Amino acid sequence: MREAIRLANESVERGGGPFGAVIVKEGEIVAGCSNSVTLDNDPTAHAEVNAIREACRKLGTFDLSGCRIYTSCEPCPMCLGAIYWAGIDRIYYGNTRRDAAEADFADDFIYEELSSPLEQRRLPIVSMLRDEALHSFVLWKGKGDRVAY
């Protein structure tokens, strides 16, 4: 956790966001990254996502089962989703999302949006060409050598 906090502090000094994350497997740090949203002009470059990408590259897998993530702040909804998709076993965090809100990083509106029906969300979400889009799933289901994830 101290390494995640150190990365967060270092990020602020370099002009990035105040977030750091470390992924550990079998007691060894596999990846440690900070937030680089403003440095990379990439809204998905949160510390947790950056660390997941680095750990997957280093381990040569998209499945981070057996890993734990230490993050300087409670993960936002995007990062939480990425952590679940990566198969990480446990999350440890420092600051809470309330602490983040007090520092002007308010993710609560996304948590609220996700619990609202589609038609009540701030961002319009419209389904289109579903019948055509379903063909991709037909192809996928018929593919004998697919890699499940």
Side-chain angles (χ1 to χ4, degrees):
M1 180 58 77
R2 286 190 178 96
E3 178 62 8
I5 293 167
R6 186 192 71 72
L7 288 166
N9 293 337
E10 181 181 272
S11 180
V12 173
E13 292 168 5
R14 288 181 308 136
F19 304 95
V22 173
I23 295 178
V24 173
K25 183 170 187 170
E26 297 173 357
E28 298 292 324
I29 293 176
V30 176
C33 294
S34 59
N35 177 293
S36 61
V37 169
T38 57
L39 298 173
D40 294 340
N41 292 317
D42 179 352
T44 68
H46 290 201
E48 298 91 337
V49 171
N50 287 342
I52 288 168
R53 289 175 179 156
E54 182 178 314
C56 288
R57 269 193 306 275
K58 284 184 175 176
L59 297 174
T61 182
F62 58 83
D63 181 0
L64 297 180
S65 297
C67 293
R68 295 175 177 208
I69 190 166
Y70 296 81
T71 179
S72 64
C73 187
E74 182 178 355
C76 75
M78 176 184 70
C79 293
L80 186 58
I83 291 165
Y84 273 102
W85 282 120
I88 292 172
D89 294 348
R90 186 169 292 212
I91 303 168
Y92 297 95
Y93 66 91
N95 295 313
T96 68
R97 64 192 222 211
R98 303 285 181 257
D99 297 329
E102 288 179 21
D104 298 326
F105 292 96
D107 299 327
D108 277 343
F109 82 95
I110 299 173
Y111 282 103
E112 292 168 11
E113 285 283 291
L114 291 173
S115 65
S116 298
L118 291 179
E119 62 278 357
Q120 293 178 7
R121 295 185 185 176
R122 295 183 218 179
L123 181 64
I125 301 174
V126 182
S127 178
M128 291 179 62
L129 303 175
R130 179 173 176 260
D131 291 339
E132 290 180 39
L134 281 171
H135 184 68
S136 300
F137 290 146
V138 170
L139 291 173
W140 174 257
K141 287 178 77 172
K143 188 170 173 54
D145 62 346
R146 69 179 183 242
V147 177
Y149 62 96

